Amino acid sequence: MARFEDQLAAVEARRDEGRGISRRGFLIGTMAGSAMLAFGLSGIAGAASGPASEALAAGRYEPTIWYAIAPDGTVTVHITKAEMGQHVATSLARLVAEELEADWSTIEVVYVDSDPKWGYMVTGGSWSVHHSYLPLSRAGAAGRIALIEAGAKLMGVDPDSCRARQGRVISGDQSIGYGEIVARAGLERTFSEEELEQIRLKPVDERRVLGTQGGALDVPAKVNGEAVYGIDVSLEGMLHARPVLPPTRFGSKPLSVDDSAAQQIEGYRQTIELDDPSGVCQGWLAVIADSTSAAMRAADALKVEWQRGDSYAITEADIQEQGQALVAAPSRDNGSLFVDIGDAPAALEGASQVVESTYTTSSVLHFQLEPVNATVVEEDGHWHVHCGNQQQTLAVGMLAKALEVDESRITLHQYYLGGGFGRRLYGDYTIPAALAAKALGRPVKMLFTRPDDTRFDCVRSPSVQRLRSGLDDSGRVVASEHAAAAGWPSAAMAPAFLAETVENGGKVDSFAISGADHWYDVGDQRVWAQQNHKAHEVFVPGYLRSVGPGWTTWAVEQHIDELALAAGEDPAQFRLALLKAEGRNAGQAPHSVGGAERLKAVLERAMDKAGWADRDSLPEDVGMGVALTFGQERNMPTWVACIARVRVDRGDGTITVERLTTVADAGTLAHPDGAMAQLEGSLLWGLSMALHEGTEYENGKPKALNLGAYTPLRMNQVPEMDLEFIASDAMPVGLGEPGTTVVAPAIANAVQHAVGVRLRDMPMRPEALKAAL
């Protein structure tokens, strides 16, 4: 299977080829003028340009593009990721500080704009720490080496006598701070790319930052109100706008607009129809006013006659019906093979018993706290877009198409995100603001209301999955076939990321099927990924936190339970027997060292903590269920076991989750406090989606448009949580997604244990449970 890094590198290569410059070439061209990555800028100022020259003029030492050291000793780490509540800057700065031996009190972080020098900018998929670990750690280590050499020269000592601690180079009873070295020394040091890769990071027992407790850098500003989100942006002379959305996302257009009532609202200026060459805003209007309040009220007062697109008649049931047909007869015409090991169909034919089940999930909304928004201004032919965004590179490309300008004439300025969860991986919400600013020749701030945001949301696609597995006479699994149908987010937003993961299997959106390539030994195995085009006709399928594993884990972990019951075995013991660190499940260095053995270890620990041995002594209508996950991707697994204890009310069909016991092995924890927050938050959202969230499409939009009808988990529904991380010095992996995927099947399996009912549709509604009892 193509790793995400490989897919990303291929995408970047194609982009660079188009503009005649590679990312590495950029670094070489601006920083050193040779086939070396620049680590010391003195003496090569003439070769530097732009930010590098500015850094030199300011007297800063900028060993890499990732951080800079000022003469006062301040270390500024450049954060290319989006901060949306996950404290990502703290984790990334810790990676640098650890190897640089910086004084943590001198660390500052800066969220950078969309300058192409940062490479492909994207925040999602639990990738940030995992993908940044080696580059940032090596950059920190290289800086430390250069500073020790320069510091030794200033002190007149041998570099071998020196060590670095707390932002100082120390030799015997002498020492010199990093700031003084930067101010006094002619720092000049280069490392080739090969030399960087050969740098040995500090031994685990010498770590002083990673794995230690500490607060998050972004919290103080968020607590005292200094934090600036996209919604807070204000520009001189800007007008305010609210979109007026057509009845369908695709194919609608306004036939007439009556704004006579809007004209009675003070501050209302006009309503414009947006002409969008990119095709994102089809049939959109924008109400323009002097204030946000006036724009909101005027939009409500508008009377518009629409010509509706064809998708107005498509319902959620139509999408699911199409999904059922696809998984009944999967083919390359509608998708591809994701896993193909042995001859699964033949092995199923020869099995003593075949267990077959179909699972579904409904449409799920993002509902991030801060509705999407953007503020856009054009200055001297350059477009500045102010907002919070998770995939700046993609947004800039979309904006260039909509504004009909080169990407070099667009800069996206990054702000805090009031929640992202994957919604802001798609920058579609910046397009109407940019088009309005272009039409008016004035800065425009466009703010969506909650219902506007919901109607325009890139929802998690509804899904249908069919699993068939065969058991032999002894209850051993000999083959498994899995077909999953859903909308494919990458096909809709970034088709360049589609990849062929199985030779001659066809291209697949791994984000719509990851999780089906699990770590259980099930003999011959075949997995089909099917693209549900009916979903694409209605909305843009989105990357909602965990994406595919949000539904594949739902199906796989219930199906494993069903196999255990069919074999007459305890579900947890049955799983332990399937977890063999052999063959493809042995794991590989450095990303998945240990393989299935680490999944087995977290399961055993969770069983001990939850009291699994007493499972069959629980009170009546109380059950305990287990599920496992490896998170977002097989190539960067986060090993997680979750055991849910639930109580079922047979009278009204409600499910009360009494306790969640979760054990995770995420390798090295860059920031333990942040890691625990990520695990807690993801588990609770997984619980929310399992029992409470979910909507349906009808009349071109979701049924639930606001929090009156869409009711996520409430505070009084939060269960007791017993969470634990396995101590590990393995490569850090991600924590944003895994918790969301594992809760729902653990609850479903617990419900089955409590009352003998198998719920295969998510969310698990009381009505469905009552009907099944």
Side-chain angles (χ1 to χ4, degrees):
M1 173 180 168
R3 291 181 49 76
F4 172 76
E5 287 91 340
D6 298 333
Q7 295 167 255
L8 183 58
V11 171
E12 286 208 291
R14 288 195 290 274
R15 285 170 50 83
D16 295 341
E17 186 179 352
R19 61 190 179 215
I21 184 171
S22 70
R23 180 161 173 254
R24 186 179 305 172
F26 177 88
L27 288 171
I28 292 169
T30 59
M31 303 290 281
S34 66
M36 309 282 274
L37 292 175
F39 267 78
L41 298 181
S42 296
I44 58 168
S49 64
S53 293
E54 293 168 12
L56 286 172
R60 293 191 307 171
Y61 172 54
E62 199 151 348
T64 81
I65 62 173
W66 307 118
Y67 65 90
I69 304 174
D72 67 356
T74 301
V75 178
T76 303
V77 181
H78 303 145
I79 305 300
T80 64
K81 306 298 182 185
E83 170 53 47
M84 45 193 165
Q86 81 279 39
H87 312 312
V88 65
T90 301
S91 295
L92 300 186
R94 279 176 164 237
L95 300 179
V96 173
E98 178 67 75
E99 293 294 333
L100 183 61
E101 291 285 5
D103 178 353
W104 184 252
S105 68
T106 68
I107 293 287
E108 293 184 352
V109 295
V110 172
Y111 298 91
V112 301
D113 65 28
S114 61
D115 192 309
K117 71 180 180 182
W118 308 113
Y120 197 96
M121 297 182 72
V122 58
T123 308
S126 299
W127 297 327
S128 294
V129 172
H130 176 72
H131 290 179
S132 302
Y133 174 64
L134 290 177
L136 290 186
S137 296
R138 285 167 177 161
R144 183 188 74 233
I145 293 169
L147 286 160
I148 285 177
E149 291 175 352
K153 188 175 180 181
L154 288 172
M155 292 189 292
V157 300
D158 188 330
D160 290 340
S161 72
C162 297
R163 58 193 172 92
R165 293 285 188 279
Q166 291 286 302
R168 302 187 70 82
V169 176
I170 302 166
S171 175
D173 57 0
Q174 298 185 75
S175 74
I176 185 170
Y178 285 179
E180 186 178 351
I181 295 173
V182 169
R184 292 175 55 193
L187 280 166
E188 188 169 334
R189 185 69 158 90
T190 60
F191 290 82
S192 69
E193 189 173 9
E194 290 72 25
E195 288 175 318
L196 280 175
E197 291 180 355
Q198 290 171 5
I199 287 179
R200 293 186 61 187
L201 303 181
K202 290 162 56 176
V204 173
D205 59 4
E206 291 185 14
R207 287 176 177 168
R208 281 169 277 279
V209 180
L210 301 184
T212 63
Q213 299 296 322
L217 297 171
D218 56 296
V219 168
K222 290 177 176 176
V223 171
N224 65 27
E226 292 178 351
V228 180
Y229 294 80
I231 202 170
D232 298 322
V233 172
S234 180
L235 301 178
E236 186 176 352
M238 73 180 186
L239 295 171
H240 297 259
R242 178 188 168 188
V244 180
L245 302 177
T248 60
R249 177 130 191 175
F250 308 112
S252 291
K253 64 179 181 180
L255 298 176
S256 66
V257 179
D258 177 1
D259 69 344
S260 55
Q263 290 178 25
Q264 305 306 310
I265 296 171
E266 185 177 353
Y268 170 73
R269 287 186 173 236
Q270 65 185 114
T271 297
I272 60 176
E273 184 173 351
L274 301 177
D275 178 18
D276 181 8
S278 72
V280 170
C281 302
Q282 298 184 24
W284 283 46
L285 303 172
V287 169
I288 310 299
D290 293 332
S291 68
T292 296
S293 174
M296 297 294 165
R297 288 180 288 130
D300 287 336
L302 219 58
K303 295 178 181 175
V304 186
E305 183 183 356
W306 300 96
Q307 176 180 300
R308 299 188 302 228
D310 295 339
S311 62
Y312 190 80
I314 298 176
T315 67
E316 182 96 353
D318 295 331
I319 298 170
Q320 295 288 41
E321 184 181 354
Q322 180 64 25
Q324 295 279 359
L326 289 171
V327 300
S331 74
R332 288 181 176 81
D333 293 338
N334 298 293
S336 62
L337 276 171
F338 186 58
V339 176
D340 194 21
I341 300 170
D343 189 346
L348 283 167
E349 286 290 327
S352 299
Q353 181 182 2
V354 174
V355 177
E356 177 176 332
S357 303
T358 300
Y359 307 86
T360 70
T361 63
S362 67
S363 297
V364 181
L365 301 167
H366 287 86
F367 260 116
Q368 71 277 8
L369 184 62
E370 177 199 15
V372 293
N373 61 83
T375 304
V376 182
V377 60
E378 181 262 329
E379 294 175 344
D380 300 325
H382 195 97
W383 292 86
H384 297 270
V385 181
H386 301 262
C387 67
N389 185 270
Q390 293 178 247
Q391 194 168 193
Q392 296 92 322
T393 305
L394 180 64
V396 167
M398 295 172 64
L399 285 159
K401 194 172 181 181
L403 292 169
E404 299 183 289
V405 300
D406 189 81
E407 291 183 19
S408 63
R409 291 173 57 194
I410 297 172
T411 298
L412 195 151
H413 301 271
Q414 181 74 333
Y415 294 81
Y416 281 133
L417 282 63
F421 318 123
R423 169 63 186 98
R424 295 176 215 256
L425 283 165
Y426 198 41
D428 51 355
Y429 55 89
T430 65
I431 304 299
L435 294 173
K438 182 179 181 180
L440 299 169
R442 293 271 302 269
V444 169
K445 177 177 184 176
M446 179 171 283
L447 178 62
F448 290 58
T449 65
R450 175 74 62 206
D452 295 338
D453 191 357
T454 303
R455 287 182 60 187
F456 197 43
D457 194 7
C458 307
V459 305
R460 188 174 86 177
S461 171
S463 71
V464 179
Q465 297 173 85
R466 175 172 174 258
L467 277 85
R468 298 171 65 232
S469 295
L471 300 170
D472 65 14
D473 291 336
S474 61
R476 184 177 65 92
V477 186
V478 295
S480 183
E481 187 174 61
H482 183 173
W488 287 9
S490 298
M493 304 181 198
F497 283 100
L498 300 181
E500 186 165 295
T501 55
V502 173
E503 187 175 357
N504 297 321
K507 287 198 171 182
V508 63
D509 182 357
S510 60
F511 297 98
I513 192 64
S514 283
D517 53 343
H518 53 71
W519 291 78
Y520 295 116
D521 179 2
V522 292
D524 294 350
Q525 185 182 9
R526 174 171 284 186
V527 177
W528 287 97
Q530 298 290 285
Q531 184 179 4
N532 190 332
H533 293 278
K534 187 69 75 177
H536 289 256
E537 294 178 35
V538 185
F539 54 83
V540 176
Y543 301 99
L544 186 140
R545 196 172 184 176
S546 84
V547 207
W551 60 74
T552 56
T553 308
W554 165 248
V556 168
E557 287 298 319
Q558 283 210 71
H559 188 65
I560 293 293
D561 244 52
E562 295 197 59
L563 290 173
L565 293 175
E569 296 190 24
D570 173 90
Q573 297 295 338
F574 188 76
R575 283 173 168 81
L576 290 173
L578 294 178
L579 293 171
K580 302 170 185 170
E582 301 171 353
R584 69 191 295 264
N585 295 330
Q588 291 182 330
H591 306 284
S592 56
V593 173
E597 280 297 327
R598 290 172 72 185
L599 198 51
K600 196 173 182 178
V602 295
L603 173 55
E604 290 174 333
R605 178 60 181 151
M607 291 168 66
D608 288 342
K609 288 170 69 70
W612 185 267
D614 299 326
R615 179 174 180 257
D616 290 332
S617 303
L618 294 172
E620 189 175 354
D621 297 337
V622 175
M624 194 179 283
V626 64
L628 307 181
T629 185
F630 57 93
Q632 181 72 5
E633 297 174 21
R634 186 179 169 90
N635 289 318
M636 48 165 280
T638 302
W639 317 98
V640 182
C642 177
I643 294 177
R645 173 173 161 149
V646 308
R647 180 183 298 275
V648 176
D649 186 324
R650 290 178 180 266
D652 60 15
T654 57
I655 300 167
T656 301
V657 179
E658 296 185 334
R659 186 170 66 222
L660 292 176
T661 303
T662 300
V663 178
D665 178 352
T668 297
L669 300 180
H671 180 213
D673 288 349
M676 183 57 77
Q678 284 278 64
L679 185 58
E680 289 172 343
S682 60
L683 285 165
L684 290 177
W685 199 9
L687 169 56
S688 186
M689 288 189 285
L691 299 180
H692 304 287
E693 297 193 42
T695 186
E696 298 179 10
Y697 264 82
E698 64 175 17
N699 299 335
K701 63 182 184 299
K703 244 183 187 179
L705 295 179
N706 214 329
L707 291 166
Y710 195 86
T711 55
L713 183 75
R714 281 3 190 197
M715 291 289 283
N716 65 350
Q717 295 166 327
V718 173
E720 176 188 348
M721 299 176 76
D722 183 4
L723 315 182
E724 178 180 313
F725 282 103
I726 297 287
S728 172
D729 58 9
M731 188 164 181
V733 286
L735 279 164
E737 266 77 12
T740 63
T741 70
V742 74
V743 179
I747 294 173
N749 291 336
V751 170
Q752 198 285 330
H753 180 235
V755 294
V757 168
R758 176 66 61 185
L759 298 173
R760 299 188 179 90
D761 304 321
M762 186 162 67
M764 292 173 272
R765 301 292 192 195
E767 305 79 48
L769 180 53
K770 279 183 68 177
L773 283 170

